[in-house]
Amino acid sequence: MAFGNYIRKLREEKQLLLREVASQMSIDTALLSKIERGTRIARKEQVEDLAEALNESENELLKLWMADKIVKMIKDESNSTEILKKAEEEIKNLTNKKQ
Amino acid sequence: MAFGNYIRKLREEKQLLLREVASQMSIDTALLSKIERGTRIARKEQVEDLAEALNESENELLKLWMADKIVKMIKDESNSTEILKKAEEEIKNLTNKKQ
DNA sequence: TTTTGACTTGTCAATATCTGTCTAATGTAA
DNA sequence: TTACATTAGACAGATATTGACAAGTCAAAA
C-alpha cells in the first residue's frame, strides 16, 4: 500500500480529522490532503511529524515513505525489478566495504 | 560498481578523453568529470548521449544510472535492504493491478 | 432547501535546488 | 619548463519544490 493511502487509513482508524493532524504538523490541511492522496511528496520532517501526530513508529513510516519515493521513481520502467536488483547488489557491496 | 566509475572505466578502455566524450555530449569536460567521479548526477538525456558516445547499450546504462540514484538515496539508512524489499513488493502489486 | 463541515483542487509567490560554464588549480609526461 | 588532461570552486540562470490561500465538491444535518 502506498504511503499516502497508508497514513490516511491510520488517520481514519484513529478517527482524526485532516485539520487535527495537519495542525499538529503545522501545515495546511490542503497539503496533508495532497500527501495522503499521493499528489504531493512529504518532506522528511513532515513524515517525522506525522509519526508523532499519529503515534506511529517513525522508523516504520520513514521506511514506507522512502520505499514510496523509489516506487514513484521507477514504476514506469519496464525493467524496474532489474533496477532494484542492481541497487540491492550495490548496497551490499557498499556495506561490505564499509566494515 | 557505481555508475560514474563504470563509465569512466568504459571511456578509458576505449582510450577516449574527457573532452572528446564531453564534446559529443555537448557539455563541458568539467561536468563530465564530475559525473564520472560521482559528485554530479547526470540527467537522463546525458546518459543517453553517453551511451551514444561510448557505443554502449542505452538501456543498460539507464538501468545502472537509476540504480545508482536509488543507492545514493538510501545508502546511509540502516534499513536500506528493508526499504528496497518494500519497494519491490509495491512494484509487484502495481504491475499486477495494471493488467 | 440552505447550511455546515470535511476534504480537494488549482494557482501563485517565495524559496531551494540544480545546471552548466568559467576560471584557476592540480597532476603528469615529455 | 611546456603542454595537455583532469579536477575544484564559484557563480548566474534555469528549474523544481514548497506552503498557503481561495474556491471548489460533496454529503449529511438543520
Side-chain angles (χ1 to χ4, degrees):
Chain A
M1 182 186 265
F3 180 75
N5 290 333
Y6 182 64
I7 61 173
R8 165 148 297 187
K9 190 177 121 264
L10 288 177
R11 180 175 63 80
E12 289 177 342
E13 278 171 11
K14 290 160 204 274
Q15 312 208 44
L16 296 167
L17 298 176
L18 271 181
R19 84 176 133 74
E20 294 172 316
V21 176
S23 156
Q24 270 207 72
M25 297 169 67
S26 312
I27 59 171
D28 198 301
T29 55
L31 180 49
L32 181 53
S33 166
K34 285 167 190 166
I35 290 171
E36 287 188 347
R37 299 175 55 72
T39 62
R40 273 289 179 100
I41 297 174
R43 298 193 309 147
K44 188 166 190 177
E45 306 94 72
Q46 290 168 340
V47 178
E48 290 160 2
D49 291 347
L50 256 177
E52 172 89 32
L54 296 176
N55 194 33
E56 289 284 323
S57 153
E58 183 177 304
N59 267 353
E60 183 66 13
L61 280 195
L62 283 173
K63 180 174 109 184
L64 298 180
W65 168 74
M66 286 213 179
D68 205 56
K69 293 216 290 184
I70 292 175
V71 169
K72 279 191 167 71
M73 185 175 169
I74 63 172
K75 69 176 191 308
D76 292 325
E77 300 299 322
S78 58
N79 55 346
S80 53
T81 305
E82 277 183 70
I83 294 171
L84 283 179
K85 218 164 244 136
K86 180 71 189 166
E88 206 165 355
E89 190 189 314
E90 289 300 319
I91 291 277
K92 237 174 234 153
N93 283 343
L94 276 181
T95 38
N96 286 340
K97 276 185 196 162
K98 263 192 215 158
Q99 285 156 5
Chain B
M1 183 186 265
F3 178 75
N5 290 334
Y6 183 63
I7 61 173
R8 166 148 296 188
K9 190 176 121 268
L10 288 178
R11 179 175 64 80
E12 289 177 341
E13 278 171 9
K14 291 160 204 275
Q15 312 208 46
L16 297 168
L17 298 176
L18 272 181
R19 85 174 135 76
E20 294 173 315
V21 176
S23 157
Q24 269 208 71
M25 297 170 66
S26 313
I27 60 171
D28 199 297
T29 56
L31 180 48
L32 180 53
S33 167
K34 285 166 191 164
I35 290 171
E36 286 188 348
R37 299 172 54 71
T39 61
R40 277 288 180 98
I41 297 174
R43 299 192 311 150
K44 188 168 190 176
E45 308 93 71
Q46 290 168 342
V47 178
E48 290 160 2
D49 291 346
L50 256 178
E52 171 88 30
L54 297 175
N55 193 33
E56 291 283 323
S57 151
E58 183 178 304
N59 266 353
E60 183 66 13
L61 280 195
L62 283 172
K63 181 175 110 185
L64 298 179
W65 168 73
M66 286 215 178
D68 205 57
K69 293 215 291 186
I70 292 175
V71 169
K72 280 192 166 74
M73 185 175 170
I74 64 172
K75 68 176 193 305
D76 293 324
E77 302 297 323
S78 59
N79 56 348
S80 53
T81 306
E82 278 183 70
I83 294 171
L84 284 179
K85 218 165 243 135
K86 182 69 189 167
E88 207 164 355
E89 190 188 315
E90 290 300 321
I91 291 276
K92 239 174 233 151
N93 283 342
L94 275 182
T95 38
N96 286 341
K97 277 184 194 161
K98 262 190 215 157
Q99 288 156 0

